[in-house]
Amino acid sequence: AAHSGQMDLALQYLHRALSFHGSSAPLNVRAAELEYLMGRSDNATRLCRRALRLDPHYCAAHHLLGRIASYQLDLEPAAVHLRRGGECDPSLEEAWQDLAALLWAQDRVEEYVQLLEAMEPHIRDEGWVLRRRGVALLQLGDRDAAFDALRQAVEIAPEDRDALAVVPRPPLGGRLA
C-alpha cells in the first residue's frame, strides 16, 4: 500500500500489526519511516526509541533517528545516531554517507577525512569516497594526497575524469609545493 501512494492506509496496517507485535523492532522502524515520510517526526522519533528499547543495536533505528535529528538541526545527537547506525552495521552505506554529509556541513573536515578513510572498505562505490576525500584533503591544504585520491577515483571510474580538474597536476618528476 505504501508504494502505491496510499501511505495512510499502509500506516494503519502497520499500527494494527504493532498492536499485535509491538515487540518487533523492525516493525516499529518501518512504521517510523512512514510517519517520518508523512512529516510526523515526533511519532517517528517515538517509534524509533521504542525499537531501540527492544534492540539497542538496531541499526535502522539509529540511522532514522540520526536523520530526524539532522533535519531538526540537532546536530550532536544526529552525529551520534548516524555513527551508531554505521558502526553496528558497517554495510549500512546511507548511515555513513549521511554522517559524512553532516560532518562536511559542520566544516569538521579533518573528522570527515578520517570517516571517509574508515568507511572506504564498507562502501561499494569506492570512487565516491575517494572523490570526497580528495576534495577534503585539498581544503586541508594537502594537494599531493588530494591529487592521489582523485587520481585513484578516476582510475576506478574513468567517466569521473573531471574530478582531477579540481587539483593542479604536480610538475613532472615532483610533488606539488
Side-chain angles (χ1 to χ4, degrees):
H3 295 291
S4 66
Q6 299 177 355
M7 292 199 315
D8 280 321
L9 182 59
L11 196 53
Q12 286 176 10
Y13 287 139
L14 280 169
H15 281 293
R16 183 158 169 84
L18 280 170
S19 70
F20 295 106
H21 306 286
S23 62
S24 167
L27 197 55
N28 275 278
V29 171
R30 178 54 81 199
E33 289 169 344
L34 277 178
E35 291 280 9
Y36 181 65
L37 287 172
M38 296 173 73
R40 301 174 189 156
S41 295
D42 290 343
N43 289 347
T45 299
R46 181 181 49 77
L47 289 162
C48 282
R49 291 190 193 287
R50 182 188 306 162
L52 288 174
R53 280 193 303 274
L54 296 166
D55 180 355
H57 303 290
Y58 194 65
C59 306
H62 282 295
H63 181 220
L64 185 54
L65 274 176
R67 277 192 156 172
I68 293 168
S70 179
Y71 289 127
Q72 293 174 340
L73 299 177
D74 199 0
L75 302 180
E76 281 311 308
V80 167
H81 282 293
L82 291 171
R83 187 174 302 279
R84 284 183 187 158
E87 287 173 347
C88 67
D89 181 1
S91 69
L92 188 59
E93 291 185 18
E94 285 185 0
W96 292 117
Q97 292 168 340
D98 289 345
L99 178 58
L102 180 67
L103 294 174
W104 183 258
Q106 291 180 287
D107 202 29
R108 294 163 61 177
V109 182
E110 290 174 359
E111 193 175 347
Y112 175 80
V113 170
Q114 291 170 357
L115 175 69
L116 291 172
E117 289 169 354
M119 66 191 265
E120 190 171 345
H122 307 293
I123 300 290
R124 283 178 296 217
D125 185 358
E126 189 181 357
W128 181 93
V129 175
L130 289 166
R131 284 189 303 279
R132 279 153 183 78
R133 191 169 77 213
V135 170
L137 288 167
L138 185 62
Q139 184 169 335
L140 290 173
D142 191 344
R143 290 180 173 187
D144 292 332
F147 185 81
D148 289 342
L150 292 169
R151 181 188 45 73
Q152 289 174 35
V154 171
E155 287 173 3
I156 291 169
E159 67 275 9
D160 284 346
R161 64 183 168 277
D162 293 341
L164 284 174
V166 183
V167 183
R169 291 188 183 273
L172 289 176
R175 305 294 278 170
L176 289 170

